[in-house]
Every structure is written in C-alpha cells, then in structure tokens.
C-alpha cells in the first residue's frame, strides 16, 4: 500500500444557488481543486463523485459520466464513478479515491461531492432525505429524518445528562464559526435564545438544531505521497481512512444514542494512524442535528458518554478551545449539500493544516473528519496531517 | 411509497406478523428472512406478535413529508414488543401523554394517504395501555 496525499482542494459557496445548475456546481469546485493542485485535466486518472440523490433532487442519474463530460474530460475516457451512502457519500468518495491511489491502480485522482437540493420543495426534500433511513419500516410509519434524530436526542436525555441549553450551544458555536467562513451558508451569529425560540420540528429538536437544505460542491485531488511534491509545497497526508456500517433502521441499534459505526470507524482510524486522541488538533464532525455533534464527540472517544454537553458549554469545543470542533461552521452553519459535505470536511481540514483558514485559523497539524450516512448506518472517518 | 412495495408487506403491516429464528429464539419485526446471529444455520418461521410493548424513545413530528403533513403533530416512537423486537410506529396519544417506558398495545389504523396514487395506507399504530 502506498501513502496518499491531498495536493489540491476546491469548494463552491454553500447556499441556495438558484441560477447555477447541478453540473456547473461540480465544474466550479473541480476547476478550483485542479488549479489549487497545479494539475491539468489531461493528467487525471479517475474521478469519484459523492452524491446522494440527484435522481430525486434534479431528476438526473448517471452523474459520474455527466460530470466527467462537463469537466471537459469526455475525450479522455477516464473512469468516473458515483459513490452513494446518503449523507456520507462524500466521505466514501474520498475513501474510494484514497484506496485507488494507495493500491497503485491510479495515480492522480479527483474525489468530489455535489448536491443540488433547492430545486424541489421542502416536503419533497424531507421525503427524499427520509430515504437515508429505512423507507419501508421507518418512513412508512411517518418518520422524518429530524424525527429520527429527535428520538436519539430523547433517548440520550433520558440516559445521560444534557440540558436543552447545552444542545443549543452546539448550534451557537457552529454559527460563530460559520460567521468566519467565507463559503458558509449562514454567516450570522445566533444566541441560545435564537435556538430555543425557533419553531419545533420534532421534539425536542427545533429549527435551529437542524442543518439546512443546501446546494454546493467540493473537490480534492489525491496522489501518491511520493509524487506530491511534484505539484505542491504543502501536501497533506492521509493518515487514516476508515469506514463502518450498522443497521439501516435506528430501531435495530444496540443502543439508540450511541452510533456504533462511529465507534468502530473511529477506533480503526486511530489504529491505522497510530496516534491518540490528544494528537488530534481539530475535528470536523457530522452535526446534521445538534444532538449528532454531541454523540460524535463521545462516540469518537474524545470524552465519556454524557460529557459532551458540558464540554460544549465550557467552550472546550469552541474555535479556540482545547479541541475545536467544526471550525468550518459544520453542517449547521456552513450548510449541508448532503453528497458534498464529506469532501467539504476534508477541504476544511486541509485549509487549517496549511494555515489558510483566515479568520478562523486554529493551531492544527492533525485533523479528523467524521461523516455519517443516515442515522449512523454508514460512517467514514479520516485523519489528515501535514508533512 | 409505490403501491406494489406497500401491498407486498400487507400481512405483516396489518397483523403485526414478523418472524422468529427457531435456532436462537430471536424475534424479528420488521420481519427478517435471515438471522444476523445464526446466519445460514438459522431456521426462520413466521410469528404473530401479541402486540404489547413499551416506548423506548419517541418524538412529536411537527413538520412532515407531504404524505403526512395534514396529520401533524403526531407522536412517533420506537416500540419494544414484549417478545423483544423493536419497531418504529405512531402512538395514538397527545404529545403530553407520551413518555419513555409507557406501556402500549397495537391497533390497526390508517397510516397515510398517498396523494399521487390516491391509495390509503393502513398499518400498525399503538395506543396507551396503562
Ligand atoms: Zn438465530
């Protein structure tokens, strides 16, 4: 197996792109990543694209070929593969690119993620996102995606100590970070009161506990570490690439408020990298809902179960806390174009490690990305470090 | 959900018929045709659940997909049947009544109306049994 490095990154503005098409979102992110890497289109050996549901959101399937075509690569006939694992599609696309390069099969590979969600109405997007869980046995009964995470929150609050205010502080922190990120969908600060006075979506979760509906795309270029310096002075090494799965339905989990797939992927990632928790300088975790960030911090092992609410309240996970979580603003404030999110996490970590996260820069040599599909049926964890 | 995909599971949805692995004794609802414990050694048979159970966790859905929008707010729960299988279902009670640990019993109810096909879906809901 070869060591792998990220040599280029690109990301569109996250938000509502009324005037930009699905394909152009991808083209913009891809071009930024290639320019950043100093790589030309002719040099690319393969493309992996994370996308959850272009079929439902923009009525387009077969997007591997589509984006290769509109990226101007049709005449090169390179392999282009769509990767789908609901909201973890981006993390898995990155992992496929890493595996491909590590194996020696391909050398210069683009991993991307794209989602265009605002072309359909809210009801239709709620219904599409419910497909990330068990459509026949959860969705049929009337489960929405926020509803499933709300059941995680209620189970969590029943077992462990977590106040409604502590939960709100996750959103407050992520908005504070998003306000400093030029690509973020929401760039305004909020207060605990903003969250507590927003409308109930699924008790106890309110509108400001939920990540938004977002359009966006992100792309990164990976190569064998031994070739990285041909392209850049600041390669970022992939120290670990782990993935785990669990039951598709929340009701079949061992414990509702512990994501065992996060636990498994996290452990594998630490083992691969040969490092410990104290070596991680920053985290991008999958905060599709505020409760998800609380669970992620604990299930990745950064504190015991039941302690993440207190850590958040004390500012430990804030931008300049001991372990900054979601410096990008997370899914909550940066936005959550589901297929792109996993790649945007890699983008943010590379920005931080290179020292290019102007306005929100933390002292980071090693960062971890945690990307969840559904309610935890798929989890990807990556660790990246400077070299 | 497509009509065929719904009708295929009517006996299970209407009567709470799941499965049991007679090799290890585990019950499955939603039904499974393959035991995750015993795998190929598992003997799977149909099993009629008694319909009694309790709420493991719940929420109140205030904002739903188009199919359910005119029935909000409704209580949605994970119910643990006494035989030891967990499923997701609505509980017919007020948001204030619902609580973790509440005993419930299954009933046959209308679940949703499919706007596109005009088909009304029926299935299992739960009512308080205390
Ligand atoms: Zn068995």
């Amino acid at each position: 197996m070869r060591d792998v490095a990220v040599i280029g990154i690109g990301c569109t503005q996250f938000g509502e792109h009324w005037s930009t098409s699905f394909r152009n979102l991808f083209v913009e992110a891809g071009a930024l990543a290639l320019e950043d890497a100093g790589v030309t289109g002719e040099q690319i050996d393969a493309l992996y694209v994370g996308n959850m549901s272009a079929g439902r959101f923009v009525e387009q399937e077969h997007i591997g070929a589509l984006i290769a075509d509109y990226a101007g690569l049709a005449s090169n006939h390179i392999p282009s593969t769509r990767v789908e694992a609901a909201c973890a599609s981006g993390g898995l696309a990155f992992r496929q690119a890493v595996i491909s390069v590590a194996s020696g099969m391909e050398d210069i590979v683009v991993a991307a993620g794209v989602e265009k969600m605002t072309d359909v109405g809210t009801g239709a997007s709620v219904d599409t996102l419910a497909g990330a869980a068990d459509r026949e046995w959860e969705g049929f009964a009337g489960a929405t995606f926020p509803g499933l995470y709300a059941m995680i929150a209620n189970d969590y609050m029943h077992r462990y100590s977590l106040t409604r205010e502590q939960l709100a502080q996750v959103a407050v922190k992520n908005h504070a970070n998003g306000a400093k990120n030029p690509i973020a969908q929401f760039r305004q600060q909020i207060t605990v009161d903003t969250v507590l006075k927003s409308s109930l979506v699924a008790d106890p979760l309110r509108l400001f506990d939920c990540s938004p509906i977002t359009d966006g795309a992100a792309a990164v270029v990976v190569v064998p570490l031994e070739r990285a310096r041909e392209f850049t002075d600041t390669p970022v090494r992939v120290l670990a690439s782990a993935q785990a799965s669990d039951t598709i339905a929340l009701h079949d989990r061992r414990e509702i408020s512990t994501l065992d797939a996060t636990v498994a992927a996290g452990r594998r990632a630490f083992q691969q990298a040969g490092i410990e928790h104290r070596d991680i300088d920053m985290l991008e975790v999958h905060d599709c809902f505020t409760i998800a960030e609380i669970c992620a911090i604990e299930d990745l092992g950064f504190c015991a179960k039941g302690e993440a609410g207190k850590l958040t309240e004390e500012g430990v996970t804030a931008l300049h806390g001991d372990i900054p979580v979601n410096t990008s603003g997370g899914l909550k404030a940066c936005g959550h174009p589901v297929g792109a999110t996993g790649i945007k996490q890699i983008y943010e970590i590379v920005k931080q490690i290179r020292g290019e996260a102007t306005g929100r820069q933390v002292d980071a040599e090693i960062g971890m990305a945690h990307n969840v599909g559904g309610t935890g049926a798929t989890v990807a964890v990556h660790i990246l470090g400077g070299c | 959900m497509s009509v065929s995909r719904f009708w295929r599971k009517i006996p299970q949805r209407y009567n709470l018929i799941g499965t049991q692995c007679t090799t290890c004794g585990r019950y499955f609802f939603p039904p499974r045709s393959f035991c995750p414990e015993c795998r190929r050694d598992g003997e799977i048979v149909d099993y009629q659940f008694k319909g009694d159970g309790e709420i493991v966790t719940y929420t109140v859905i205030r904002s739903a997909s188009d199919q359910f929008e005119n029935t909000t707010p409704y209580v949605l729960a994970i119910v643990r049947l006494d035989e030891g299988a967990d499923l997701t279902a609505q509980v017919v009670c007020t948001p204030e009544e619902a609580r973790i640990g509440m005993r419930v019993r299954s009933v046959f109810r209308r679940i949703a109306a499919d706007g596109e096909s005009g088909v009304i879906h029926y299935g299992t809901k739960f009512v308080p049994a205390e």
Side-chain angles (χ1 to χ4, degrees):
Chain A
M1 294 273 276
R2 305 190 290 183
D3 283 326
V4 178
V6 179
I7 58 161
I9 55 172
C11 194
T12 67
Q13 179 72 39
F14 277 14
E16 291 182 2
H17 288 280
W18 297 103
S19 58
T20 311
S21 67
F22 175 87
R23 63 190 73 182
N24 286 346
L25 276 176
F26 168 80
V27 168
E28 184 187 335
L32 288 168
L34 292 193
E35 190 188 334
D36 184 53
V39 165
T40 62
E42 298 75 56
Q43 292 176 287
I44 299 170
D45 293 323
L47 270 171
Y48 292 89
V49 192
N51 174 259
M52 173 179 170
S53 199
R56 298 284 303 266
F57 287 127
V58 294
E59 297 177 18
Q60 176 71 58
E61 307 290 9
H62 206 174
I63 68 154
L66 172 80
I67 64 159
D69 180 6
Y70 274 76
L73 302 174
S75 59
N76 298 22
H77 309 296
I78 58 162
S80 181
T81 308
R82 173 184 178 172
V83 181
E84 192 275 316
C87 329
S89 300
L92 265 58
F94 181 70
R95 188 160 189 274
Q96 290 307 307
V98 169
I99 289 170
S100 159
V101 172
S103 75
M105 190 73 113
E106 289 153 347
D107 256 21
I108 301 178
V109 177
V110 173
V114 55
E115 209 78 53
K116 178 103 181 75
M117 302 171 74
T118 64
D119 282 5
V120 296
T122 307
S125 62
V126 167
D127 194 50
T128 299
L129 292 172
D134 187 336
R135 195 71 188 79
E136 285 198 23
W137 296 106
E138 293 181 311
F140 175 80
T144 59
F145 208 54
L148 293 167
Y149 272 92
M151 291 202 288
I152 294 177
N154 266 341
D155 181 72
Y156 186 104
M157 288 167 138
H158 185 70
R159 286 169 193 274
Y160 309 109
S161 92
L162 175 71
T163 65
R164 195 33 276 214
E165 287 71 20
Q166 288 171 335
L167 207 49
Q169 273 152 350
V170 173
V172 172
K173 168 187 68 76
N174 289 346
H175 270 262
N177 292 349
K180 300 183 170 94
N181 186 355
I183 65 158
Q185 182 167 8
F186 298 127
R187 302 202 56 198
Q188 81 279 26
Q189 308 245 10
I190 59 165
T191 64
V192 167
D193 231 35
T194 317
V195 183
L196 298 186
K197 286 187 174 148
S198 64
S199 58
L200 273 166
V201 174
D203 309 20
L205 300 182
R206 294 174 179 273
L207 187 63
F208 273 83
D209 288 297
C210 309
S211 55
I213 303 285
T214 310
D215 303 328
V220 301
V221 184
V222 296
V223 299
L225 181 62
E226 67 211 21
R227 288 194 59 189
R229 296 213 180 255
E230 290 174 30
F231 303 97
T232 177
D233 294 331
T234 53
V236 171
R237 191 174 158 193
V238 180
L239 299 173
S241 175
Q243 181 185 331
S245 52
D246 201 347
T247 64
I248 186 76
L250 182 64
H251 55 232
D252 280 327
R253 302 281 162 75
R254 183 186 59 81
E255 184 186 292
I256 302 295
S257 48
T258 299
L259 277 69
D260 281 348
T262 293
V263 176
R267 278 188 189 144
R268 286 171 198 162
F270 276 111
Q271 199 171 12
Q272 278 179 34
I275 61 170
E276 293 172 37
H277 288 80
R278 59 182 156 79
D279 300 317
I280 303 278
D281 300 311
M282 49 108 33
L283 284 170
E284 283 284 304
V285 305
H286 198 92
D287 61 319
C288 48
F289 300 93
T290 48
I291 184 64
E293 177 166 320
I294 296 289
C295 291
I297 293 166
E298 295 167 354
D299 298 341
L300 289 167
F302 287 90
C303 64
K305 215 62 199 166
E307 288 178 1
K310 195 158 165 286
L311 287 191
T312 305
E313 186 174 30
E314 290 168 351
V316 175
T317 60
L319 193 60
H320 297 295
D322 284 348
I323 175 75
V325 176
N326 283 328
T327 58
S328 70
L331 285 57
K332 175 70 196 79
C334 191
H336 184 28
V338 283
T341 282
I343 302 290
K344 181 226 73 183
Q345 295 177 326
I346 304 296
Y347 171 91
E348 174 68 10
I349 291 170
V350 170
K351 278 265 177 204
Q352 290 284 356
I353 290 174
R354 287 182 184 175
E356 295 171 356
T358 313
R360 63 184 193 288
Q361 184 66 49
V362 299
D363 188 12
E365 283 174 18
I366 298 181
M368 175 182 264
H370 163 260
N371 189 199
V372 177
T375 54
T378 298
V379 173
V381 174
H382 287 94
I383 303 176
L384 305 179
C387 53
Chain B
M1 175 181 293
S2 75
V3 176
S4 60
R5 204 144 49 100
F6 172 75
W7 283 85
R8 206 176 294 140
K9 287 282 189 285
I10 276 198
Q12 290 86 348
R13 293 195 195 283
Y14 280 24
N15 303 317
L16 212 56
I17 293 172
T19 54
Q20 186 189 15
C21 171
T22 55
T23 310
C24 68
R26 280 181 66 183
Y27 294 92
F28 303 111
F29 196 95
R32 286 178 187 266
S33 55
F34 193 69
C35 176
E37 285 293 319
C38 310
R39 301 201 167 95
R40 276 187 302 164
D41 295 329
E43 287 291 329
I44 302 287
V45 298
D46 280 354
Y47 175 78
Q48 166 78 60
F49 282 87
K50 293 185 176 61
D52 299 316
E54 68 177 53
I55 292 180
V56 174
T57 184
Y58 72 96
T59 182
V60 183
I61 305 280
R62 314 265 175 182
S63 174
S65 65
D66 294 340
Q67 263 191 324
F68 290 90
E69 196 52 58
N70 59 2
T71 60
T72 56
Y74 54 89
V75 175
L76 183 84
I78 291 178
V79 172
R80 177 158 301 157
L81 297 167
D82 288 348
E83 291 91 340
D86 293 4
L87 73 153
T88 301
Q90 290 182 32
V91 179
V92 187
C93 69
T94 65
E96 295 72 32
E97 281 176 286
R99 64 174 174 79
I100 290 174
M102 182 163 89
R103 294 289 305 167
V104 291
R105 131 177 88 72
S106 69
V107 289
F108 178 70
R109 286 281 194 283
R110 170 190 166 127
I111 303 286
D114 190 328
E116 274 173 43
S117 64
V119 171
I120 294 173
H121 293 161
Y122 292 90
T124 299
K125 289 188 184 180
F126 287 82
V127 294
E130 292 180 337

